[in-house]
Amino acid sequence: MTELTLNDKIVRLQAVDFVPEIQLYLCDTAHQVVYPNRYPCWAYAWVGGKALARYILDNPELVAGKTVVDMASGSGISAIAAKMAGAARVVAVDDYIPSIEIMQLNAEANGVEIEIVQQDIFEYSPDYGDLFIMGDPFYNDDLFPYIEKKFKPVLVGSPLRSSTLYYNFYVKNPIHTYTIASPPGYDDYLEFNTHIWWLSE
């Protein structure tokens, strides 16, 4: 099955630009967000997730043999990359039902096994995890200080989307920066400088 309808969106299994090793069920039409609806994070490969997945695949020693927890996982792209790069155990956490559903389909499409946990990040307190990862998660400014304080080590892939990100991440030297294009209507800009940071080590 290469095409299906989920949560009123038609998604098609396709290789991800910038990370062609991974296939995801993605929506081919631009998203529309009407308050108070949530971002359809599960139906798109956001630039931060693509950057983080690319970095993990290119640097498998980061995850090899480890337990990796992908928080606010969305489509599961970073979790899938971690498993493909040799992580012993990968846990993908998200509280959004469509994300939970699509992550399982995406994992199966890529032939990897990930554990999926439906839980709000602000209520998540695991007693496991050698490495925590997050791709493009900081739409809620309260999440930044919470993650920085509660989890360690945390590797993040994200553009500077908010003033909180700018003032907190700008003082940290990114370990890598990618320039990633985004199709018209999919995001705020057509191209992003997307950074990989250690949020906490």
Side-chain angles (χ1 to χ4, degrees):
M1 180 169 54
T2 60
E3 186 175 289
L4 56 89
T5 300
L6 181 61
N7 206 39
D8 297 326
K9 284 190 177 293
I10 297 173
V11 291
R12 179 174 57 87
L13 185 63
Q14 55 192 282
V16 179
D17 65 291
F18 204 73
V19 198
E21 301 94 321
I22 294 176
Q23 294 189 88
L24 298 178
Y25 282 94
L26 300 174
C27 186
D28 290 326
T29 57
H31 71 280
Q32 292 182 341
V33 179
V34 180
Y35 183 83
N37 294 344
R38 294 182 56 165
Y39 282 93
C41 51
W42 55 275
Y44 300 93
W46 301 98
V47 292
K50 288 193 283 190
L52 185 56
R54 177 77 273 149
Y55 191 78
I56 289 170
L57 289 172
D58 290 345
N59 298 275
E61 68 279 0
L62 283 169
V63 301
K66 296 180 179 179
T67 294
V68 178
V69 181
D70 182 19
M71 301 188 294
S73 190
S75 67
I77 184 173
S78 300
I80 291 167
K83 192 65 177 178
M84 291 174 67
R89 178 187 182 193
V90 177
V91 180
V93 183
D94 206 296
D95 67 338
Y96 199 19
I97 291 174
S99 289
I100 299 300
E101 295 172 340
I102 206 76
M103 276 193 280
Q104 187 60 54
L105 293 171
N106 287 336
E108 292 172 359
N110 289 276
V112 299
E113 183 176 340
I114 59 177
E115 301 170 39
I116 300 172
V117 175
Q118 184 180 355
Q119 192 165 11
D120 190 307
I121 294 299
F122 288 103
E123 299 172 358
Y124 182 61
S125 298
D127 58 358
Y128 53 82
D130 300 312
L131 174 66
F132 297 89
I133 59 175
M134 302 187 81
D136 220 336
F138 295 110
Y139 293 89
N140 179 344
D141 285 350
D142 293 335
L143 188 58
F144 179 96
Y146 176 80
I147 295 297
E148 187 175 37
K149 180 179 179 180
K150 189 173 179 67
F151 299 96
K152 190 176 292 189
V154 181
L155 187 66
V156 172
S158 182
L160 297 173
R161 290 191 181 277
S162 70
S163 58
T164 296
L165 279 179
Y166 182 85
Y167 287 112
N168 285 279
F169 272 154
Y170 190 73
V171 299
K172 300 175 183 287
N173 291 322
I175 57 177
H176 200 86
T177 298
Y178 300 100
T179 300
I180 304 179
S182 186
Y186 277 68
D187 215 325
D188 296 331
Y189 302 98
L190 296 179
E191 189 175 80
F192 290 86
N193 287 329
T194 309
H195 310 290
I196 306 295
W197 281 282
W198 286 109
L199 175 56
S200 60
E201 295 184 71

